[in-house]
């Protein structure tokens, strides 16, 4: 069925948009996987499930976008009203999901510091008796080059010696005979709380920014699809 010149332009724009959607699906998938991997070592240190559910939602949405792009491409090329309406409905749902993840990413960071502080204070005293707690603290202090919660003083305050992870791996691997301490040349003098909060906030900002940015682009796709579907329906009603 031939469309008017204006709607033919919309048809090809929609087809091009779907190629773009396939690319955005890949971007969403990569961002979701990267965010999940980056936050996974520190998930247990916060009550905020967003840092698990947000990346997983992105991974699922990224996969769905490929399926939705197929409906959009076929519908635009074949001028199939049903396919285009299906495409519009799926795209609108994805738009809402990405918008929700994007807004949540910007809101959740406000509650993050209190949540992490609460967990670190509750678990630091179990460093010697709980291997999981010890593993979490060692990963944080090694990866982020920090020591303690607000400072290295948090360890003696809780009746514990300063762990080796408070010193750089260079000193530990060199077989230093003296235990890690504040006088060690590779000692991490900065507390972990601020570094960890900033690290997790960066993940939230990436999820939020990507979610909101791609959602705006996909909203344009919904508008194009609705215009094309309406034109095709009008053509059928005219015949």
């Amino acid at each position: 069925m031939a469309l008017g010149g204006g709607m033919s332009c919309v048809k090809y724009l929609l087809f091009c948009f779907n190629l773009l959607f396939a690319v955005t699906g890949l971007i969403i998938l990569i961002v979701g996987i990267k965010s999940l991997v980056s936050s996974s070592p520190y998930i247990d240190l916060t009550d905020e499930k967003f840092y698990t559910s947000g990346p997983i939602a992105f991974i699922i949405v990224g996969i769905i976008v490929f399926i939705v792009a197929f409906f959009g491409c076929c519908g635009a090329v074949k001028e199939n009203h049903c396919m285009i309406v299906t495409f519009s409905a799926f795209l609108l749902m994805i738009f809402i999901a990405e918008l929700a993840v994007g807004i949540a990413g910007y809101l959740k960071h406000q509650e993050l510091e209190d949540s992490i502080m609460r967990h670190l204070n509750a678990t630091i005293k179990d460093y010697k008796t709980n291997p999981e707690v010890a593993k979490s603290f060692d990963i944080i202090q090694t990866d982020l080059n920090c020591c303690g919660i607000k400072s290295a003083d948090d360890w003696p305050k809780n009746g514990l010696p300063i762990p080796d992870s408070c010193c750089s791996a260079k000193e530990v691997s060199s077989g230093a005979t003296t235990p890690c301490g504040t006088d060690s040349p590779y000692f991490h003098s900065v507390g972990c709380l601020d570094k960890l909060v900033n690290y997790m906030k960066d993940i939230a900002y990436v999820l939020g920014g990507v979610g909101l940015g791609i959602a705006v682009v996909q909203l344009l796709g919904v508008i194009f699809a609705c215009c094309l579907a309406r034109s095709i329906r009008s053509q059928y009603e005219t015949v």
Side-chain angles (χ1 to χ4, degrees), residues 13-14 52 88 108 110 116 163 165 171 187 201 217-218 231:
L13 280 174
L14 182 60
T52 301
S88 301
K108 285 297 181 181
Q110 298 175 1
I116 292 177
S165 56
E171 182 168 12
F187 177 70
K201 280 184 177 180
V217 175
Q218 290 178 340
S231 174

Side-chain angles (χ1 to χ4, degrees), residues 96-137:
I96 294 171
E98 288 175 354
L99 194 62
V101 172
I103 293 173
Y106 283 110
L107 294 179
K108 285 297 181 181
H109 80 275
Q110 298 175 1
E111 308 164 16
L112 183 62
E113 185 169 353
D114 290 341
S115 177
I116 292 177
M117 183 72 171
R118 185 167 57 252
H119 270 269
L120 292 178
N121 279 324
T123 58
I124 190 171
K125 58 180 67 70
D126 298 325
Y127 181 85
K128 285 294 186 182
T129 58
N130 190 325
E132 290 299 319
V133 171
K135 181 181 178 181
S136 294
F137 271 97

Side-chain angles (χ1 to χ4, degrees), residues 14-131:
L14 182 60
F15 180 81
C16 292
F17 257 87
N18 276 281
L19 295 179
L20 177 62
F21 291 152
V23 175
T24 60
L26 182 61
I27 293 173
I28 294 169
L29 186 62
I30 292 173
V31 169
I33 293 173
K34 189 174 185 301
S35 298
L36 187 61
V37 171
S38 298
S39 61
S40 59
Y42 316 115
I43 290 298
D44 293 337
L45 302 174
T46 172
D47 294 326
E48 301 300 335
K49 300 305 179 186
F50 168 78
Y51 293 91
T52 301
S53 59
I56 289 175
F58 258 48
I59 292 170
I60 294 171
V61 167
I63 294 171
I64 292 175
V65 163
F66 283 104
I67 299 172
V68 172
F70 170 78
F71 277 102
C73 284
C74 291
V77 171
K78 296 184 177 181
E79 299 176 16
N80 186 298
H81 179 267
C82 182
M83 276 189 165
I84 292 176
V85 170
T86 301
F87 165 76
S88 301
F90 274 116
L91 199 59
L92 188 59
M93 287 189 288
I94 292 173
F95 166 77
I96 294 171
E98 288 175 354
L99 194 62
V101 172
I103 293 173
Y106 283 110
L107 294 179
K108 285 297 181 181
H109 80 275
Q110 298 175 1
E111 308 164 16
L112 183 62
E113 185 169 353
D114 290 341
S115 177
I116 292 177
M117 183 72 171
R118 185 167 57 252
H119 270 269
L120 292 178
N121 279 324
T123 58
I124 190 171
K125 58 180 67 70
D126 298 325
Y127 181 85
K128 285 294 186 182
T129 58
N130 190 325

Side-chain angles (χ1 to χ4, degrees), residues 150-196:
K150 289 190 173 180
S151 71
D153 293 337
D154 291 313
W155 292 108
K157 283 179 183 177
N158 285 276
L160 296 167
I162 293 176
D164 287 341
S165 56
C166 279
C167 290
S168 171
K170 291 181 180 179
E171 182 168 12
V172 176
S173 62
S174 66
T177 56
T178 57
C180 179
T182 55
D183 56 345
S184 301
Y186 297 105
F187 177 70
H188 305 153
S189 58
V190 181
C192 293
L193 180 63
D194 289 342
K195 283 196 170 187
L196 184 56

Side-chain angles (χ1 to χ4, degrees), residues 194-211:
D194 289 342
K195 283 196 170 187
L196 184 56
V197 169
N198 289 334
Y199 181 83
M200 298 299 282
K201 280 184 177 180
D202 287 342
I203 293 175
Y205 283 134
V206 169
L207 287 173
V210 171

